[in-house]
């Protein structure tokens, strides 16, 4: 399971989630700590980021919609399915 998670994170990083000063592994919604998860989203002073599409992690526990989109695309079109569905039954839209 840990191996699968690392593969997914590696592929998400290669899919354009690293962009300049944005710390993509920080939770989009939270507050404090190395990964913005000392206060969980919805509690205390935790706030959501302005653009979740540039983050992999939503709240320290869940991917963002953009990350889930890339995971679904990887399962339907490859490289996470072996063999990938060729041709895929449907295309995952970019946004």
């Amino acid at each position: 399971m840990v191996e699968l998670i690392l593969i997914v994170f590696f592929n998400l990083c290669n899919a354009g989630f690293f962009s300049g000063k944005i710390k993509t592994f920080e939770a989009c919604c939270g507050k404090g700590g190395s990964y913005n998860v000392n206060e969980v989203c919805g509690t205390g002073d935790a706030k959501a980021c302005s653009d979740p599409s540039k983050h992999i992690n939503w709240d320290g526990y869940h991917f963002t919609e953009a990350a889930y989109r890339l995971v679904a695309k990887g399962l339907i079109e490859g490289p996470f399915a072996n063999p990938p569905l060729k041709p895929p039954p449907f295309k995952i839209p970019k946004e």
Side-chain angles (χ1 to χ4, degrees):
M1 182 64 161
V2 172
E3 183 178 313
L4 176 62
I5 292 169
L6 291 174
I7 290 169
V8 169
F9 270 130
F10 178 76
N11 280 284
L12 290 174
C13 293
N14 285 336
F17 274 97
F18 284 125
S19 56
K21 297 178 183 176
I22 295 174
K23 297 178 182 176
T24 57
F25 287 109
E26 279 188 0
C28 180
C29 187
K31 181 179 179 186
S34 298
Y35 295 100
N36 205 29
V37 292
N38 283 3
E39 286 189 37
V40 181
C41 190
T43 64
D45 294 332
K47 294 185 172 37
C49 63
S50 62
D51 190 358
S53 69
K54 294 187 171 140
H55 290 263
I56 293 172
N57 194 312
W58 171 248
D59 61 359
Y61 303 101
H62 305 96
F63 286 148
T64 59
E65 185 177 325
Y68 276 124
R69 180 178 289 108
L70 289 173
V71 170
K73 184 175 177 146
L75 289 170
I76 303 282
E77 301 173 13
F80 301 143
N82 188 15
L85 303 173
K86 296 283 184 187
F90 53 88
K91 289 284 188 183
I92 305 291
K94 290 191 188 261
E95 293 238 3

